[in-house]
Structure formats: structure tokens, C-alpha cells
Amino acid sequence: MSAVVIARGALHDALRRAARIAPQAGSIPILACARIESDGGMLRVSATDLATTLFATLPCDGAIEPICVPARLGAQIVGMLPSNAVQIAPIALDKGAGVEFRAGRASFRMLRHAAADFPAPSASDTRLVASGAVARD
């Protein structure tokens, strides 16, 4: 498994925006999640309520497989991390697939959802696009 390093402020902002889009209650639990994936030095965070889709693209170091994490919880965790540089890494947990957010000496682990379950955006979705710059430690 691999990992990605990204600026805490940029990731926190993207996850906060995703949490505003992602419904917290409903019959489709995956919609409460943000999908995180990286490709070619860019991290993409996306969230949807099936009518509106948010895409945030941020520079990063490294690469990870696509993962889904609860958007609101992810934003809260990243907001509490002490360092500017955050490492995100898929991990194996006793109860299934997980993800670890690490910054400095602090780390937080949680279960993740299958990225394949996250709905693909439709052509009729309203799309919100955000991008950010990185400040490194």
C-alpha cells in the first residue's frame, strides 16, 4: 500500500466543503463520504448528494488507491492534526479496510468504505470545483 502527503490546511478545507455537500442522514450511507484519490501529483476529493457534486483538486506527494471516508469525521480529524503536512495511507484493520491520517506524532485510524460504491457523477449534476496550493513543512 502507498501513501500521500498533503498540506493540512488545503485538505481540511476540501473535506469541510465535501462535508457540506454530503448528506449526513439518508438511505444511502456512501453519500456521507468523501472520495479521496490521487494521480500524477494531484489529490482529488469529491462528494455528492446526487444532485450536486464537489471536486477539489490539490497538489500532493505520493499516490494512494481511491478510498472513501466519512466527510464530516474526516474534516474534524484533519482539523485537529498538529502539523502542516498530513500523510494519508490505506491500512488493514481488524474489522476491515481502513485509513490512517498522520501528522507529526499524531495519528488517527478509521474504517473506510469501498471506493467502488461511491456514485459516479452524472451529466446533470451541478458541479462545484475547488483547487488549492500547498504549503509544506
Side-chain angles (χ1 to χ4, degrees), residues 9-19 34 43 45 54 56-58 75 130:
L11 179 60
H12 184 229
D13 184 55
L15 287 171
R16 278 189 5 232
R17 290 175 189 231
L43 184 88
V45 177
L54 167 81
T57 305
L58 312 161

Side-chain angles (χ1 to χ4, degrees), residues 19-90:
R20 288 185 204 130
I21 298 292
Q24 296 307 302
S27 59
I28 308 173
I30 194 73
L31 294 182
C33 293
R35 180 181 165 114
I36 300 172
E37 58 192 308
S38 67
D39 182 33
M42 299 302 285
L43 184 88
R44 184 163 128 168
V45 177
S46 54
T48 186
D49 64 3
L50 297 179
T52 303
T53 301
L54 167 81
F55 298 101
T57 305
L58 312 161
C60 68
D61 292 329
I64 58 170
E65 63 191 64
I67 59 173
C68 287
V69 299
R72 184 164 290 164
L73 180 59
Q76 291 171 342
I77 290 166
V78 172
M80 291 186 291
L81 292 174
S83 175
N84 187 34
V86 174
Q87 180 184 36
I88 305 169

Side-chain angles (χ1 to χ4, degrees), residues 62-132:
I64 58 170
E65 63 191 64
I67 59 173
C68 287
V69 299
R72 184 164 290 164
L73 180 59
Q76 291 171 342
I77 290 166
V78 172
M80 291 186 291
L81 292 174
S83 175
N84 187 34
V86 174
Q87 180 184 36
I88 305 169
I91 58 171
L93 297 173
D94 291 341
K95 295 183 179 181
V99 63
E100 179 179 50
F101 293 89
R102 178 182 295 273
R105 297 175 73 190
S107 68
F108 186 88
R109 295 176 175 196
M110 68 176 153
L111 289 173
R112 61 185 161 112
H113 297 270
D117 294 341
F118 194 80
S122 70
S124 63
D125 281 1
T126 300
R127 295 173 183 248
L128 304 173
V129 179
S131 61

